[in-house]
Amino acid sequence: MTSPASPSPSIDPAEVAKFSAIAAEWWDPTGKFAPLHKFNPVRLSFLKGEMAAHFGRDPRSLRPFDGLTLLDIGCGGGLLSEPMARLGFAVTGADASERNIGTAKAHAAQSGLAIDYRAVTAEELAAEGRDYDVVLNMEVVEHVADVGGYMKACAALLRPCGLTAVATMNKTLKSFALAKIGAEYVLGWLPRGTHDWNRFIPPVELRAMLEEAELTICKTQGVTFNLLTWDWVLSSDVNVNYMITARR
């Protein structure tokens, strides 16, 4: 039986249940999370470059982020937590779904990685007085109930001079056609009902929330799918997928 982390204003129980039901498939590159496996290299490359520049680290070194802490909030099965640990971060992976955390712990053990996985919310971590050099919020905000409150809780977890990254989808007709109808109903890349287009967030609104949480915007980066190479690439187009970095 799955029980989510303690109730918080940002948690939508239906969203937690949705991802808990398919938690065992996180590490199957051909399963329901196949799109994330395909998306992972481009977001990892972007994050590594931005974090190396921000902290003055050499991205060519084996473990450029030794000595730094990172929170992967909404970590799911650990698709980002594990590579971040390999890059040297002391990683905490947090998710509201105990099933997701169970999957993440099992895979990290198989991989020989020491990652602190916890079934906990951002609000609970903030209440504990936790703080981190980096807070990752990747493909999470479109699934939370109170985005503004959630962003403030996540910002409270960021240390002075820390860096946060948020990835989500823009609320445009193009995103409705591609990320909702195309991905879920035409191509079958995602299970139907994975996303609610009404919860997609325009970059201008997300930037305003981050600034209201007393963070300074660093970069807004679009990501598009190249049909010729059948791969994700960084782009100036933010009409569907985009990432924002901000600092304290």
Side-chain angles (χ1 to χ4, degrees), residues 103-176:
T103 297
K105 283 182 176 179
H107 197 275
Q110 292 171 0
S111 303
L113 294 171
I115 297 173
D116 180 19
Y117 281 120
R118 302 179 59 190
V120 68
T121 67
E123 289 87 351
E124 288 173 316
L125 289 171
E128 291 175 12
R130 303 277 181 146
D131 60 6
Y132 306 87
D133 295 301
V134 175
V135 176
L136 297 185
N137 236 305
M138 311 301 282
E139 290 77 44
V140 177
V141 296
E142 66 269 24
H143 300 291
V144 305
D146 175 8
V147 180
Y150 172 72
M151 295 313 302
K152 287 180 180 178
C154 291
L157 295 165
L158 196 62
R159 289 177 179 169
C161 300
L163 185 72
T164 189
V166 186
T168 189
M169 285 172 282
N170 200 346
K171 191 176 182 180
T172 62
L173 289 177
K174 186 175 180 180
S175 72
F176 181 76

